[in-house]
Amino acid sequence: MEYATKLQEYAPAPSAEEVDAEVARIREAALRNMNVETCKFCYSAIDLTTLSCNDSEESVTRFAERAVAFYKDYPEIPNVASICIYPSFVETVGVAVDGTPMRITSVAGGFPAAQTFLEVKMLEVSMAVENGADEVDIVLNVGKMLKGHYDEAANEVEMIRGEMGEEITLKVIIESGALKSPDLIRKASLLSMFAGTDFVKTSTGKIDVAATPEAAVVMCRAIRDYYEKTGRKVGFKAAGGVRTPEDAVLYYTIVEEILGKEWLTTDLFRIGASSAANNLLSTIVGHDVKYF
Protein backbone atom coordinates (compact mmCIF):
# COMPACT_ATOMS: atom_id res chain seq x y z
CA MET A 1 0.00 0.00 0.00
CA GLU A 2 1.08 3.60 -0.58
CA TYR A 3 1.41 5.19 2.82
CA ALA A 4 3.72 8.14 2.16
CA THR A 5 0.99 10.14 0.42
CA LYS A 6 -1.18 9.92 3.53
CA LEU A 7 1.39 11.96 5.42
CA GLN A 8 0.27 14.96 3.37
CA GLU A 9 -3.10 14.83 5.14
CA TYR A 10 -1.41 15.77 8.41
CA ALA A 11 0.16 19.00 9.60
CA PRO A 12 3.97 19.16 9.62
CA ALA A 13 5.98 18.37 12.72
CA PRO A 14 6.49 21.03 15.37
CA SER A 15 9.84 22.80 15.31
CA ALA A 16 12.56 21.82 17.76
CA GLU A 17 11.98 25.13 19.54
CA GLU A 18 8.26 24.40 19.93
CA VAL A 19 9.05 20.96 21.28
CA ASP A 20 11.56 22.35 23.78
CA ALA A 21 8.97 24.86 25.04
CA GLU A 22 6.36 22.12 25.40
CA VAL A 23 8.77 19.90 27.34
CA ALA A 24 9.65 22.77 29.69
CA ARG A 25 5.96 23.41 30.35
CA ILE A 26 5.24 19.74 31.02
CA ARG A 27 8.22 19.39 33.35
CA GLU A 28 6.57 22.01 35.55
CA ALA A 29 3.22 20.23 35.31
CA ALA A 30 4.85 16.91 36.26
CA LEU A 31 5.61 18.23 39.75
CA ARG A 32 1.93 17.85 40.67
CA ASN A 33 2.05 14.17 39.73
CA MET A 34 5.06 13.25 41.83
CA ASN A 35 3.09 11.25 44.38
CA VAL A 36 2.56 7.65 45.49
CA GLU A 37 -0.64 7.08 43.50
CA THR A 38 0.97 8.13 40.22
CA CYS A 39 4.01 5.98 40.99
CA LYS A 40 1.71 3.01 41.62
CA PHE A 41 0.10 3.48 38.23
CA CYS A 42 3.48 3.88 36.52
CA TYR A 43 4.62 0.65 38.17
CA SER A 44 1.53 -1.13 36.85
CA ALA A 45 2.30 0.15 33.34
CA ILE A 46 5.79 -1.40 33.23
CA ASP A 47 6.78 -4.03 30.69
CA LEU A 48 9.38 -5.59 32.99
CA THR A 49 12.28 -6.23 30.67
CA THR A 50 15.29 -8.50 30.40
CA LEU A 51 17.00 -8.35 27.01
CA SER A 52 20.56 -9.36 27.74
CA CYS A 53 23.03 -11.51 25.82
CA ASN A 54 23.48 -13.60 28.98
CA ASP A 55 19.79 -14.38 29.48
CA SER A 56 19.15 -18.11 29.96
CA GLU A 57 16.16 -20.30 30.71
CA GLU A 58 17.27 -20.38 34.32
CA SER A 59 17.75 -16.61 34.69
CA VAL A 60 14.53 -15.76 32.84
CA THR A 61 12.59 -18.28 34.93
CA ARG A 62 13.89 -16.67 38.14
CA PHE A 63 13.06 -13.22 36.77
CA ALA A 64 9.50 -14.20 35.87
CA GLU A 65 8.91 -16.09 39.12
CA ARG A 66 10.04 -13.04 41.07
CA ALA A 67 7.51 -10.92 39.18
CA VAL A 68 4.76 -13.44 39.94
CA ALA A 69 5.71 -13.48 43.64
CA PHE A 70 4.96 -9.74 43.71
CA TYR A 71 1.22 -10.50 43.71
CA LYS A 72 1.64 -12.15 47.12
CA ASP A 73 4.40 -9.94 48.52
CA TYR A 74 2.72 -6.60 47.70
CA PRO A 75 -1.00 -7.30 47.26
CA GLU A 76 -1.85 -3.62 47.77
CA ILE A 77 0.22 -2.52 44.72
CA PRO A 78 -0.89 -3.29 41.14
CA ASN A 79 1.69 -5.57 39.52
CA VAL A 80 3.60 -4.85 36.29
CA ALA A 81 1.69 -5.18 33.02
CA SER A 82 3.94 -7.72 31.32
CA ILE A 83 7.32 -9.38 31.14
CA CYS A 84 9.31 -8.51 28.00
CA ILE A 85 11.87 -11.02 26.70
CA TYR A 86 13.49 -12.39 23.55
CA PRO A 87 11.31 -14.78 21.49
CA SER A 88 13.11 -17.93 22.59
CA PHE A 89 11.99 -17.30 26.19
CA VAL A 90 8.27 -16.79 25.54
CA GLU A 91 7.39 -20.35 26.48
CA THR A 92 9.65 -20.18 29.56
CA VAL A 93 7.83 -17.09 30.83
CA GLY A 94 4.48 -18.63 29.94
CA VAL A 95 5.09 -21.49 32.35
CA ALA A 96 6.12 -19.11 35.14
CA VAL A 97 3.18 -16.69 34.80
CA ASP A 98 0.49 -19.30 34.09
CA GLY A 99 -2.65 -18.59 36.11
CA THR A 100 -1.88 -14.87 36.56
CA PRO A 101 -3.14 -11.87 34.57
CA MET A 102 0.40 -10.92 33.58
CA ARG A 103 0.94 -10.60 29.85
CA ILE A 104 3.90 -11.88 27.86
CA THR A 105 5.68 -9.42 25.58
CA SER A 106 8.24 -10.60 23.04
CA VAL A 107 10.58 -8.45 21.03
CA ALA A 108 10.81 -9.94 17.54
CA GLY A 109 11.27 -9.16 13.87
CA GLY A 110 15.05 -8.96 13.97
CA PHE A 111 15.23 -6.87 17.16
CA PRO A 112 17.08 -4.60 17.80
CA ALA A 113 18.34 -3.59 14.33
CA ALA A 114 15.54 -5.05 12.18
CA GLN A 115 18.17 -5.64 9.49
CA THR A 116 17.17 -9.03 8.21
CA PHE A 117 14.87 -10.50 5.57
CA LEU A 118 11.17 -9.65 5.88
CA GLU A 119 10.40 -13.37 5.70
CA VAL A 120 12.66 -13.96 8.71
CA LYS A 121 10.96 -11.16 10.63
CA MET A 122 7.53 -12.60 9.88
CA LEU A 123 8.59 -16.11 10.88
CA GLU A 124 10.10 -14.94 14.16
CA VAL A 125 6.95 -12.99 15.00
CA SER A 126 4.66 -15.90 14.16
CA MET A 127 6.78 -18.28 16.26
CA ALA A 128 6.67 -15.89 19.24
CA VAL A 129 2.88 -15.73 18.96
CA GLU A 130 2.59 -19.48 18.52
CA ASN A 131 4.65 -19.98 21.69
CA GLY A 132 2.30 -17.75 23.66
CA ALA A 133 3.24 -14.08 23.27
CA ASP A 134 0.33 -11.73 23.96
CA GLU A 135 2.24 -8.69 22.69
CA VAL A 136 5.04 -8.23 20.17
CA ASP A 137 7.46 -5.29 19.94
CA ILE A 138 9.13 -4.83 16.55
CA VAL A 139 11.50 -2.19 15.17
CA LEU A 140 10.59 0.04 12.24
CA ASN A 141 13.27 -0.12 9.56
CA VAL A 142 15.33 2.93 10.52
CA GLY A 143 17.59 2.74 7.46
CA LYS A 144 14.59 2.98 5.15
CA MET A 145 13.19 5.90 7.14
CA LEU A 146 16.44 7.83 6.99
CA LYS A 147 16.60 7.40 3.22
CA GLY A 148 12.99 8.39 2.67
CA HIS A 149 11.70 4.94 1.70
CA TYR A 150 8.56 5.47 3.73
CA ASP A 151 6.26 3.09 1.88
CA GLU A 152 8.75 0.25 2.22
CA ALA A 153 9.12 0.82 5.97
CA ALA A 154 5.36 0.98 6.54
CA ASN A 155 4.60 -1.99 4.33
CA GLU A 156 6.93 -4.15 6.44
CA VAL A 157 4.85 -3.24 9.48
CA GLU A 158 1.64 -4.02 7.59
CA MET A 159 2.94 -7.46 6.57
CA ILE A 160 4.02 -8.28 10.13
CA ARG A 161 0.71 -7.02 11.51
CA GLY A 162 -1.07 -9.43 9.18
CA GLU A 163 1.14 -12.30 10.30
CA MET A 164 0.31 -11.75 13.97
CA GLY A 165 -3.46 -11.60 13.96
CA GLU A 166 -5.58 -8.81 15.37
CA GLU A 167 -5.83 -10.29 18.88
CA ILE A 168 -2.10 -9.74 19.50
CA THR A 169 -0.94 -6.29 20.62
CA LEU A 170 1.67 -4.83 18.26
CA LYS A 171 4.11 -2.17 19.42
CA VAL A 172 6.33 -0.53 16.81
CA ILE A 173 9.66 0.89 18.01
CA ILE A 174 10.63 3.89 15.89
CA GLU A 175 14.12 4.26 17.46
CA SER A 176 13.63 7.99 17.95
CA GLY A 177 17.26 8.54 18.97
CA ALA A 178 18.39 7.47 15.49
CA LEU A 179 15.73 9.48 13.64
CA LYS A 180 16.62 12.59 15.70
CA SER A 181 14.48 15.26 14.02
CA PRO A 182 10.87 16.03 14.99
CA ASP A 183 9.95 15.63 11.30
CA LEU A 184 11.22 12.06 11.02
CA ILE A 185 9.93 11.08 14.47
CA ARG A 186 6.46 12.32 13.52
CA LYS A 187 6.53 10.60 10.13
CA ALA A 188 7.69 7.31 11.66
CA SER A 189 4.92 7.47 14.26
CA LEU A 190 2.22 8.22 11.71
CA LEU A 191 3.43 5.57 9.26
CA SER A 192 3.42 2.96 12.01
CA MET A 193 -0.15 3.88 12.88
CA PHE A 194 -1.26 3.85 9.23
CA ALA A 195 0.16 0.31 9.01
CA GLY A 196 -1.80 -0.97 12.01
CA THR A 197 0.29 -0.73 15.15
CA ASP A 198 -1.43 -0.63 18.55
CA PHE A 199 1.41 1.28 20.25
CA VAL A 200 4.20 3.56 19.13
CA LYS A 201 7.33 2.99 21.21
CA THR A 202 10.35 5.25 21.52
CA SER A 203 13.40 3.03 21.61
CA THR A 204 15.09 -0.34 21.77
CA GLY A 205 17.44 0.81 24.52
CA LYS A 206 20.29 -0.60 22.44
CA ILE A 207 21.69 2.64 20.97
CA ASP A 208 23.25 5.65 22.68
CA VAL A 209 20.15 7.88 22.59
CA ALA A 210 17.05 6.18 23.94
CA ALA A 211 13.75 7.70 25.10
CA THR A 212 13.66 11.47 25.47
CA PRO A 213 10.83 13.77 26.57
CA GLU A 214 11.26 15.68 23.31
CA ALA A 215 10.61 12.57 21.21
CA ALA A 216 7.69 11.64 23.45
CA VAL A 217 6.04 15.02 22.87
CA VAL A 218 6.31 14.63 19.09
CA MET A 219 5.02 11.05 19.21
CA CYS A 220 2.08 11.87 21.46
CA ARG A 221 1.11 14.79 19.25
CA ALA A 222 1.13 12.42 16.27
CA ILE A 223 -1.04 9.94 18.19
CA ARG A 224 -3.48 12.74 19.06
CA ASP A 225 -3.68 13.96 15.46
CA TYR A 226 -4.19 10.42 14.16
CA TYR A 227 -6.99 9.84 16.69
CA GLU A 228 -8.71 13.08 15.69
CA LYS A 229 -8.77 11.96 12.04
CA THR A 230 -9.57 8.27 12.50
CA GLY A 231 -11.16 7.77 15.92
CA ARG A 232 -8.68 4.95 16.65
CA LYS A 233 -6.70 5.17 19.87
CA VAL A 234 -3.04 4.14 19.65
CA GLY A 235 -0.93 3.72 22.77
CA PHE A 236 2.45 5.21 23.70
CA LYS A 237 5.38 3.33 25.22
CA ALA A 238 8.52 4.98 26.60
CA ALA A 239 11.50 2.65 26.74
CA GLY A 240 15.25 2.93 27.09
CA GLY A 241 16.75 5.07 29.82
CA VAL A 242 13.59 5.30 31.95
CA ARG A 243 15.18 4.69 35.34
CA THR A 244 13.85 7.00 38.04
CA PRO A 245 10.37 7.73 39.39
CA GLU A 246 10.82 11.27 38.06
CA ASP A 247 11.45 9.87 34.56
CA ALA A 248 8.33 7.71 34.71
CA VAL A 249 6.14 10.50 36.06
CA LEU A 250 7.38 12.89 33.37
CA TYR A 251 6.29 10.48 30.60
CA TYR A 252 3.00 9.95 32.43
CA THR A 253 2.48 13.71 32.45
CA ILE A 254 3.37 14.08 28.75
CA VAL A 255 0.62 11.57 27.95
CA GLU A 256 -1.80 13.29 30.34
CA GLU A 257 -1.14 16.77 28.95
CA ILE A 258 -1.22 15.90 25.23
CA LEU A 259 -3.57 12.91 25.00
CA GLY A 260 -5.65 13.28 28.15
CA LYS A 261 -6.46 11.15 31.15
CA GLU A 262 -8.34 8.63 29.00
CA TRP A 263 -4.93 7.46 27.72
CA LEU A 264 -3.72 6.75 31.24
CA THR A 265 -4.57 3.06 31.26
CA THR A 266 -2.24 0.13 30.77
CA ASP A 267 -4.03 -0.55 27.47
CA LEU A 268 -2.65 2.74 26.10
CA PHE A 269 0.42 3.63 28.17
CA ARG A 270 3.45 1.49 28.93
CA ILE A 271 6.97 1.93 30.24
CA GLY A 272 9.71 -0.46 29.15
CA ALA A 273 12.03 -0.78 32.11
CA SER A 274 13.95 -2.91 34.57
CA SER A 275 15.72 -0.63 37.06
CA ALA A 276 12.73 1.74 37.18
CA ALA A 277 10.68 -1.00 38.82
CA ASN A 278 12.86 -1.06 41.95
CA ASN A 279 13.05 2.72 42.06
CA LEU A 280 9.29 3.20 41.73
CA LEU A 281 8.68 0.51 44.33
CA SER A 282 11.08 2.24 46.73
CA THR A 283 9.16 5.50 46.33
CA ILE A 284 5.83 3.75 46.86
CA VAL A 285 6.81 1.94 50.08
CA GLY A 286 8.98 4.75 51.43
CA HIS A 287 12.31 2.95 51.75
CA ASP A 288 14.94 1.44 49.52
CA VAL A 289 13.84 -1.85 47.91
CA LYS A 290 15.83 -4.12 45.58
CA TYR A 291 13.06 -6.51 44.62
CA PHE A 292 14.31 -7.41 41.14
Side-chain angles (χ1 to χ4, degrees):
M1 184 180 293
E2 292 186 4
Y3 288 108
T5 55
K6 294 184 69 175
L7 292 170
Q8 299 169 14
E9 301 172 13
Y10 289 77
S15 67
E17 292 75 20
E18 289 175 308
V19 173
D20 288 344
E22 184 82 335
V23 170
R25 181 186 70 80
I26 294 175
R27 284 190 188 277
E28 290 294 318
L31 297 176
R32 70 169 183 263
N33 288 328
M34 196 62 225
N35 56 61
V36 168
E37 288 308 308
T38 303
C39 287
K40 281 185 177 181
F41 173 76
C42 288
Y43 186 89
S44 76
I46 287 176
D47 289 340
L48 190 66
T49 302
T50 180
L51 296 170
S52 171
C53 66
N54 60 7
D55 285 342
S56 65
E57 286 190 16
E58 291 81 4
S59 69
V60 171
T61 296
R62 287 194 301 272
F63 187 74
E65 288 177 343
R66 188 66 172 153
V68 169
F70 189 89
Y71 289 110
K72 174 177 62 70
D73 294 339
Y74 292 93
E76 72 283 5
I77 302 173
N79 206 349
V80 297
S82 81
I83 295 176
C84 179
I85 61 312
Y86 281 113
S88 58
F89 298 114
V90 167
E91 199 166 6
T92 301
V93 171
V95 171
V97 306
D98 188 41
T100 78
M102 193 174 298
R103 296 174 69 81
I104 304 168
T105 298
S106 175
V107 296
F111 179 95
Q115 297 289 11
T116 188
F117 302 103
L118 177 58
E119 293 83 357
V120 173
K121 296 179 185 182
M122 293 170 66
L123 178 60
E124 187 176 49
V125 166
S126 67
M127 290 179 70
V129 170
E130 184 177 345
N131 281 357
D134 303 299
E135 307 181 354
V136 176
D137 293 15
I138 66 169
V139 183
L140 188 69
N141 192 309
V142 175
K144 292 185 186 300
M145 285 300 305
L146 292 172
K147 292 301 181 182
H149 303 312
Y150 303 143
D151 283 338
E152 292 180 34
N155 274 295
E156 283 196 1
V157 174
E158 180 189 13
M159 294 291 289
I160 293 170
R161 166 86 271 179
E163 189 71 20
M164 291 170 48
E166 292 300 319
E167 72 280 5
I168 305 299
T169 298
L170 173 64
K171 308 189 199 91
V172 173
I173 306 163
I174 66 166
E175 200 69 289
S176 56
L179 298 177
K180 297 180 181 178
S181 72
D183 179 60
L184 275 179
I185 291 169
R186 179 174 172 82
K187 284 176 176 173
S189 300
L190 288 169
L191 288 164
S192 298
M193 291 186 278
F194 297 161
T197 193
D198 299 301
F199 274 77
V200 184
K201 176 179 170 182
T202 56
S203 319
T204 62
K206 301 297 186 182
I207 68 170
D208 289 344
V209 179
T212 65
E214 291 76 14
V217 163
V218 176
M219 294 166 70
C220 287
R221 282 188 171 197
I223 291 169
R224 178 194 63 195
D225 294 349
Y226 177 79
Y227 172 69
E228 288 175 353
K229 280 189 177 291
T230 68
R232 187 169 80 91
K233 290 181 177 178
V234 174
F236 169 76
K237 178 175 175 179
V242 185
R243 296 185 176 89
T244 68
E246 290 79 10
D247 292 336
V249 169
L250 177 56
Y251 288 111
Y252 171 101
T253 308
I254 289 170
V255 170
E256 179 185 45
E257 289 287 309
I258 296 174
L259 295 169
K261 291 184 181 296
E262 61 191 291
W263 253 264
L264 292 172
T265 74
T266 56
D267 289 332
L268 292 168
F269 175 63
R270 294 287 180 86
I271 298 168
S274 52
S275 60
N278 283 329
N279 294 330
L280 280 165
L281 185 57
S282 297
T283 297
I284 293 165
V285 302
H287 58 84
D288 190 46
V289 177
K290 299 296 183 187
Y291 191 83
F292 296 103

